[in-house]
């Protein structure tokens, strides 16, 4: 049996800190609601804190007003988070400090490659181009640095995910040296996430399996920055019998304005929690009370083999 969040051995556990960290690229959708409820129930059922962070570090991809809409929708669904909302767009100085620390440790190098020059390199698992290491040993004369990359150490990163099981990735082979400071001057998502989680004392990261590919890179950064590694649980994404993701049809539909109790019950069902029939009709407080009392992480399926049923 894999390690399951919430099951503690004889060691006295420290305080649990979970978080939900949506990107404001549009309204809250079903997949985000799965991550929100899963992370919240995991933390709360262990008596822990649940934090909220808006991942707007990628300013050009942030849609004006989307973050406020996400917060309103979460409140409408009855979510209550601890402390103030953290906005990545306001934390550039903190990311720079971590960046300078890595630079001082000779973990970074400047890269002059343009998108066009990268276009012929192999595709990494997440669909981005694998960096071929062109500038790793120094820039050719006359080349102008555009971005800064992490000098990724060789070897596999291994971690045990509470839902997905053991994950192994050779980041250097699969992704290559990845960007921490982009050509447009913005710090990369991977760096921001690791710095934010470390500073907030996050002990468990519960999020969608669409982010599983990012985790080995984030663990590498945690190690290089001397930050503790949180526990990970990557929640299922919907897939058909052939294993193809169905994010377009199910996870991506917006949930704004939908009946909260019915939709939360749908998410519970999606997460394998077997909510009793009639729960949705008993109202939002009853749904929350049942969820907190009956949260069973061991029931979460690794993959959903059918689209979530549409009750609403
Ligand atoms: Zn380069």
């Amino acid at each position: 049996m894999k390690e399951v969040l919430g099951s503690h051995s004889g060691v006295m556990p420290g305080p649990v800190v979970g978080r939900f960290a949506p990107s404001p690229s549009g309204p809250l959708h079903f997949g985000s609601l799965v991550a929100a409820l899963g992370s919240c129930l995991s933390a709360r059922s262990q008596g822990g804190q649940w934090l909220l962070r808006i991942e707007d570090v990628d300013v050009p991809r942030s849609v004006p007003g989307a973050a406020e809409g996400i917060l309103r929708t979460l409140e409408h669904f009855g979510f209550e988070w601890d402390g103030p909302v953290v906005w990545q767009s306001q934390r550039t100085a903190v990311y720079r400090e971590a960046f300078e620390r890595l630079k001082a440790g000779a973990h970074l190098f400047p890269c002059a490659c343009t998108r066009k020059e990268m276009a012929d390199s192999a595709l990494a698992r997440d669909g981005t181009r694998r960096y071929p290491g062109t500038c790793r040993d120094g820039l050719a004369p006359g080349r102008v640095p555009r971005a800064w990359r992490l000098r990724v150490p060789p070897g596999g990163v291994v971690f045990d995910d509470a839902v997905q099981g053991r994950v192994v990735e050779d980041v250097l082979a699969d992704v290559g040296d990845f960007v921490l400071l982009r050509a447009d001057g913005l710090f990369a998502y991977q760096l921001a996430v690791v710095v934010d989680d470390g500073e907030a004392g996050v002990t468990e990261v519960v999020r969608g399996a669409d982010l599983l590919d990012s985790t080995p890179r984030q663990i590498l950064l945690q190690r290089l920055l001397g930050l503790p590694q949180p526990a990970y649980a990557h929640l299922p994404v919907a897939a058909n019998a052939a294993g193809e993701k169905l994010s377009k049809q199910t996870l991506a539909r917006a949930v704004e304005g939908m009946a909260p109790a019915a939709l939360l019950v749908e998410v519970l069902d999606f997460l394998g929690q077997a909510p009793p029939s009639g729960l949705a009709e008993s109202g939002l407080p009853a749904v929350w009370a049942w969820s907190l009392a009956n949260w069973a992480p061991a029931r979460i399926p690794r993959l959903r083999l059918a689209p979530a049923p549409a009750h609403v």
Side-chain angles (χ1 to χ4, degrees):
M1 187 60 203
K2 301 184 291 274
E3 188 194 338
V4 170
L5 294 187
S7 70
H8 296 293
S9 53
V11 184
M12 189 68 155
V16 169
V17 181
R19 76 343 181 248
F20 173 55
S23 299
S25 51
L28 193 76
H29 52 75
F30 187 81
S32 302
L33 193 61
V34 169
L37 189 63
S39 61
C40 183
L41 292 177
S42 179
R44 294 290 192 222
S45 64
Q46 300 172 81
Q49 285 191 306
W50 185 64
L51 312 178
L52 188 57
R53 179 170 78 226
I54 299 294
E55 300 207 318
D56 57 350
V57 67
D58 193 345
V59 176
R61 289 184 68 179
S62 298
V63 175
E68 291 76 10
I70 289 171
L71 298 182
R72 264 198 319 274
T73 305
L74 288 173
E75 283 174 348
H76 183 59
F77 277 80
F79 286 93
E80 292 174 9
W81 51 89
D82 293 298
V85 177
V86 170
W87 299 74
Q88 288 186 329
S89 56
Q90 298 171 2
R91 292 173 48 76
T92 306
V94 187
Y95 305 145
R96 175 155 301 278
E97 192 273 332
F99 175 84
E100 294 298 340
R101 212 141 45 87
L102 291 169
K103 197 171 158 188
H107 296 299
L108 308 181
F109 64 89
C111 170
C113 301
T114 62
R115 205 171 287 239
K116 197 162 169 243
E117 287 166 336
M118 290 278 296
D120 292 334
S121 61
L123 281 179
R125 271 201 307 182
D126 65 356
T128 60
R129 300 277 165 187
R130 185 193 169 277
Y131 183 64
T134 316
C135 311
R136 196 171 220 255
D137 300 317
L139 298 180
R143 298 283 280 163
V144 181
R146 292 165 45 84
W148 283 79
R149 293 179 181 273
L150 183 76
R151 192 182 302 279
V152 173
V157 173
V158 184
F159 69 98
D160 289 311
D161 188 275
V163 177
Q164 306 298 327
R166 177 151 290 192
V167 177
V168 183
E169 186 181 47
D170 184 333
V171 177
L172 185 58
D174 290 349
V175 182
D177 301 316
F178 53 95
V179 169
L180 292 193
L181 182 57
R182 300 168 11 166
D184 61 6
L186 292 171
F187 288 104
Y189 161 79
Q190 308 292 358
L191 180 68
V193 168
V194 166
V195 169
D196 290 341
D197 282 344
E199 187 179 290
V202 167
T203 63
E204 60 172 43
V205 172
V206 179
R207 60 187 177 189
D210 52 319
L211 287 166
L212 191 59
D213 277 350
S214 286
T215 307
R217 272 173 278 177
Q218 292 172 11
I219 290 174
L220 271 183
L221 285 171
Q222 285 156 9
R223 290 178 185 165
L224 293 173
L225 288 165
L227 297 168
Q229 183 178 320
Y232 286 99
H234 285 86
L235 303 173
V237 293
N240 62 19
E244 295 162 339
K245 287 179 189 172
L246 294 177
S247 54
K248 286 285 182 290
Q249 292 90 333
T250 56
L251 294 180
R253 76 196 149 96
V255 300
E256 220 170 350
M258 291 192 180
L263 207 50
L264 285 187
V265 168
E266 196 182 324
V267 172
L268 289 168
D269 182 58
F270 184 87
L271 289 171
Q273 301 299 300
S277 61
L279 180 61
E281 289 71 37
S282 55
L284 195 55
V287 172
W288 274 103
W290 186 91
S291 302
L292 286 164
N294 295 280
W295 177 244
R299 285 182 157 179
I300 303 171
R302 203 179 63 77
L303 201 68
R304 283 296 308 221
L305 283 180
H311 296 308
V312 285

